[in-house]
Amino acid sequence: MIIVKTKAELSKMMAAARLAALALEHIGKAVRAGISTLELDSMIRRFITVRGGKPSFAGYKGFKGNACISVNHELIHGIPSKRKILRDGDIVSVDIGAFVDGFHGDNTKTFAVGNVSEQARDLLRVTEECLYQGIKKAVAGNRVGDISDAIQKHCENSGYHIVKEYIGHGVGRTLHEEPDIPNFGKAGRGPRLVPGMTLAIEPMVNATTSNVRTLSDGWTVVEGNGNLCAHFEHTIAVTEGEPIIMTLV
């Protein structure tokens, strides 16, 4: 069932989304060569908890971390580790959720570490563009497929590969709600968008193949050929007019 939020619920959700966004902005300033993903994870936990929130991913289905931190060929669900040290030229995706007063906010950005390759910069640019192409279609009267179609076309027209096994989702009192928001599909298909719907739109883009696989840790999902991949995400609210990006700082 798709849950449409009231104005009061949207106001509460804005607080959670803003905290998630501020945490992501904060951690982006800390991303550098020589820091471990576990150190970044600890910083995220402290930033959220001292502001009265809870990291949404802490303990989620047994996840061992407060945020998903994925490096280079790791697409999503990377487990923070003291042994995983960022190096100059890496790219790192940081997926942060914050739970405040009964609601979740969810956002992701892939950061460049120092001097990255032109291929990496282009991949990050295109993936972020895919996100905003999808958001532009998140207007009342459209359908979920309009978001999906816009993301897929921009990705594939740019020479990259959209991941189909993992998708965006509704978000609110629970981290994952209906409807599913695939990053591929046909315009005019799927549930109709109405004001009060809150969605986590999150294109996941691979450099050389749409295939992915999960590592033996049971969590970390990697690009099928072991090449670069990127992930960007915002929580948005559908309104009578333009969508509100709730995780925009």
Side-chain angles (χ1 to χ4, degrees), residues 66-87:
N66 299 281
C68 299
I69 307 179
S70 310
V71 182
N72 291 333
H73 67 293
E74 298 172 349
L75 177 69
I76 52 173
H77 304 162
I79 301 172
S81 169
K82 65 181 180 181
R83 293 186 297 274
K84 194 179 295 182
I85 309 296
L86 298 184
R87 299 179 179 180

Side-chain angles (χ1 to χ4, degrees), residues 56-65 175-176 219:
S56 296
F57 306 146
Y60 182 76
K61 295 185 177 180
F63 183 73
K64 296 179 180 179
L175 189 55
H176 296 95
W219 282 100

Side-chain angles (χ1 to χ4, degrees), residues 87-123:
R87 299 179 179 180
D88 187 73
D90 285 346
I91 60 174
V92 55
S93 299
V94 184
D95 188 352
I96 297 176
F99 183 70
V100 179
D101 198 15
F103 288 89
H104 294 272
D106 191 5
N107 61 176
T108 306
K109 182 173 181 177
T110 304
F111 298 96
V113 182
N115 298 306
V116 304
S117 68
E118 285 301 317
Q119 180 198 28
R121 290 194 183 281
D122 190 65
L123 177 64

Side-chain angles (χ1 to χ4, degrees), residues 70-78 89-94 108-112 117 119-128 155 160-163 203-213 220-232:
S70 310
V71 182
N72 291 333
H73 67 293
E74 298 172 349
L75 177 69
I76 52 173
H77 304 162
D90 285 346
I91 60 174
V92 55
S93 299
V94 184
T108 306
K109 182 173 181 177
T110 304
F111 298 96
S117 68
Q119 180 198 28
R121 290 194 183 281
D122 190 65
L123 177 64
L124 267 58
R125 176 186 61 81
V126 168
T127 307
E128 188 169 22
C155 171
Y160 294 110
H161 303 264
I162 207 72
V163 172
M204 289 161 262
V205 175
N206 284 351
T208 64
T209 177
S210 61
N211 295 330
V212 295
R213 60 186 178 87
T220 309
V221 176
V222 301
E223 208 257 14
N225 290 333
N227 289 306
L228 296 177
C229 44
H231 180 200
F232 283 78

Side-chain angles (χ1 to χ4, degrees), residues 135-176:
I135 289 172
K136 284 198 299 187
K137 297 295 183 179
V139 296
N142 276 359
R143 293 185 179 273
V144 166
D146 296 310
I147 299 172
S148 307
D149 175 73
I151 291 171
Q152 182 178 16
K153 281 182 176 174
H154 189 71
C155 171
E156 294 177 351
N157 288 343
S158 300
Y160 294 110
H161 303 264
I162 207 72
V163 172
K164 296 183 177 180
E165 285 87 344
Y166 298 91
I167 59 177
H169 51 90
V171 60
R173 289 191 181 275
T174 58
L175 189 55
H176 296 95

Side-chain angles (χ1 to χ4, degrees), residues 4-46:
V4 175
K5 279 71 174 181
T6 65
K7 288 183 178 180
E9 289 172 327
L10 286 172
S11 179
K12 287 186 176 183
M13 199 167 160
M14 280 293 295
R18 179 164 177 77
L19 181 54
L22 289 171
L24 188 61
E25 179 187 55
H26 174 71
I27 214 63
K29 296 173 182 177
V31 166
R32 56 173 173 77
I35 196 168
S36 73
T37 60
L38 184 62
E39 288 176 274
L40 294 176
D41 187 69
S42 297
M43 292 173 63
I44 291 165
R45 177 186 55 78
R46 288 194 299 271

